[in-house]
Amino acid sequence: MFVVGLTGGIASGKSTVSEMLRDMGIEVVDADLVARQVVAIGQPAYKKIVAAFGDGVLLDNGELDRPALAEIVFKDKSKRMLLNKCTHPHIHRHMFYTILGYFIRGHQFIVMDLPLLYETKAFVGLFHKVVVVNCTGEQQLERLMARNSLTQERAMARINAQLSLREKCQRADVVIDNENDFIQTRQEVTIMVDSLRKSNQHIVNRVIVLLPIVALAVGLRWLLS
């Protein structure tokens, strides 16, 4: 099995591409979904966040007030780093075991949807390819303001908290253009998936992983015979 990293800027259309991939039968491990799971009430990451930020980031029912927490961390880099320290180890551990499960079940490849792929650098060495979903800066700002009902100032604070789309595109193996219509974006995603399905990298990776295990088993059998 090989792993493809999917990322982009906030509101660039990464979630749209993720849905297209799922529609094509590709397994997508979504870091945002995992992040919600690891901060559920009573989870270790939840307890760390409450200890670090106080009860002011909780709703009346005890769940995290995500907008309130976002307002804090996007204004202060040190607070953002503190939040990442509380959550990222748990997110990454969960994703690792999910990937391992897909490997054991014999998948050719999976996609990891990671908004902060380049920022955290946690899985960079794992990826066969990295895909970045791109749009113009104006589109990114307009989409984010409309989606989250943010002022321009608050939207720009969230955009600037990440690496720029230009820099991400320069680092990417594949860039999906999400500047125009849905049909064009889907065409680009289809071309990419067709290329990935033709790859034999999954065979190479399985040989690399399994060969030492087989060699060890043969060696032990020889020693014990």
Side-chain angles (χ1 to χ4, degrees), residues 4-5 11 18 20 48-49 64 74 79 82 85 104 113 115 119-120 127 151 166 175 181 194 208 211 219 223:
V4 177
S18 281
M20 291 178 182
K48 291 179 181 179
I49 292 171
L64 285 180
F74 284 113
K79 297 292 186 182
L82 177 59
K85 186 177 179 181
I104 292 170
D113 181 339
E119 289 85 348
T120 64
F127 301 123
T151 65
R166 176 179 294 182
V175 176
D181 58 33
D194 287 345
I208 291 172
L211 189 59
L223 287 172

Side-chain angles (χ1 to χ4, degrees), residues 3-5 112 114 116-130 171 173:
V3 183
V4 177
M112 291 182 68
L114 288 162
L116 301 178
L117 184 153
Y118 288 119
E119 289 85 348
T120 64
K121 303 176 183 177
F123 291 98
V124 170
L126 177 68
F127 301 123
H128 174 58
K129 300 285 185 183
V130 173
R171 299 185 186 188
D173 299 298

